[in-house]
């Protein structure tokens, strides 16, 4: 049977404890050698990869193909919508009917959580230098996106574009760390290029049993 995915609560608890030095980060994302797949076993890693990487790629495509044009064109109401909490319950849910259904935002659901949860695939017993370095970048991504929210609220295009670029940098560093540590068993994940002209959405990943 397929083990349950790590809960978001567990991911957030791990994130709160994560501390990664700049030296470790540079080594993991750059030229220093790192063990393939970090400290986890291949089967578990593949299961997590095929569950969360498509979500990360979907979020990346939204970030580039939809969010960036919203900012460039000053469509501030649309930008603010991605931060709005909405119900994730089914229409027939008893919790929704009672008004106690869980709510989350698009930016949390499609951008933050997949990055946060997948980072744990690189850990053994819940932590490790690769996971910590990835979580650090995810947190920096969140910080940049909060600055983008503030800029959108103020309808400040220059600040919004700067915040988007800071978020892109954090995302790309996260992906560099991941790609350095996944080995050759699975396909590496594309980052967000400097030149967005001709950017294409991710190809659909093959159906798997993981």
């Amino acid at each position: 049977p397929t083990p349950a995915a790590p809960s978001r609560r567990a991911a957030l608890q791990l994130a709160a404890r994560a501390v990664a030095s700049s030296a470790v980060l540079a080594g993991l994302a750059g030229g220093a050698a790192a063990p393939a797949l970090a400290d986890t076993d291949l089967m578990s890693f593949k299961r997590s990869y095929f569950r969360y990487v498509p979500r990360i790629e979907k979020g990346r495509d939204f970030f580039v193909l939809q969010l960036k044009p919203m900012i460039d064109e000053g469509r501030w109401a649309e930008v603010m919508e991605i931060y709005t909490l909405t119900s994730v319950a089914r229409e027939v849910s008893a919790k929704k009917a009672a008004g106690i259904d869980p709510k989350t935002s698009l930016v949390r659901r499609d951008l933050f959580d997949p990055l946060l949860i997948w980072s744990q695939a690189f850990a053994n017993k819940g932590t490790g230098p690769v996971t910590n370095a990835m979580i650090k970048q995810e947190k920096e991504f969140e910080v940049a996106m909060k600055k983008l929210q503030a800029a959108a609220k103020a309808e400040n295009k220059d600040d919004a574009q700067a915040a988007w670029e800071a978020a892109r940098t954090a995302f790309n560093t996260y992906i560099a760390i991941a790609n350095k540590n996944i080995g050759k068993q699975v396909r590496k994940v594309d980052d967000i290029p400097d030149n967005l002209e001709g950017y294409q959405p991710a190809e659909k990943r093959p159906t798997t049993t993981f």
Side-chain angles (χ1 to χ4, degrees):
T2 302
S7 70
R8 178 169 176 266
R9 181 179 179 183
L12 294 174
Q13 288 173 339
L14 176 59
R17 300 195 302 268
V19 178
S21 70
S22 59
V24 171
L25 178 60
L28 293 171
L37 302 185
D39 300 314
T40 191
D41 67 272
L42 179 58
M43 188 64 69
S44 294
F45 183 85
K46 283 187 173 181
R47 185 179 299 114
S48 180
Y49 177 93
F50 286 109
R51 181 173 295 168
Y52 292 108
V53 167
R55 292 177 59 186
I56 290 171
E57 292 176 327
K58 177 184 175 182
R60 180 197 63 208
D61 291 344
F62 170 83
F63 183 80
V64 173
L65 298 175
Q66 297 184 55
L67 181 57
K68 187 65 163 63
M70 290 179 197
I71 296 168
D72 293 344
E73 296 166 14
R75 289 149 46 197
W76 305 120
E78 293 179 50
V79 175
M80 294 303 293
E81 283 181 6
I82 74 172
Y83 297 93
T84 302
L85 297 179
T86 57
S87 175
V88 294
R90 296 179 180 178
E91 289 298 325
V92 295
S93 167
K95 287 187 176 181
K96 186 169 185 178
I100 58 173
D101 50 315
K103 295 178 174 62
T104 185
S105 64
L106 183 151
V107 72
R108 167 63 59 188
R109 184 172 58 251
D110 291 354
L111 294 174
F112 301 159
D113 283 353
L115 295 172
L116 186 60
I117 296 173
W118 190 48
S119 68
Q120 292 177 82
F122 295 82
N124 184 29
K125 298 182 179 179
T127 190
V130 177
T131 291
N132 288 346
M134 292 171 72
I135 289 174
K136 180 177 185 292
Q137 292 307 305
E138 191 280 331
K139 291 293 129 187
E140 291 193 9
F141 183 76
E142 287 197 31
V143 168
M145 291 299 290
K146 287 178 181 177
K147 290 180 179 178
L148 173 55
Q149 181 182 18
K153 186 175 181 179
E155 300 188 359
N156 187 319
K157 184 179 289 189
D158 288 343
D159 285 355
Q161 290 174 330
W164 185 92
E165 185 59 37
R168 183 182 80 92
T169 297
F171 179 90
N172 282 353
T173 304
Y174 175 103
I175 295 301
I177 296 167
N179 284 341
K180 185 70 177 179
N181 289 274
I182 61 176
K184 299 180 180 179
Q185 294 84 355
V186 291
R187 194 171 77 201
K188 294 186 184 300
V189 184
D190 292 335
D191 63 8
I192 302 170
D194 293 335
N195 184 358
L196 300 179
E197 185 177 352
Y199 179 93
Q200 296 294 320
E203 296 180 5
K204 185 176 180 180
R205 298 265 176 181
T207 301
T208 75
T209 56
F210 289 106

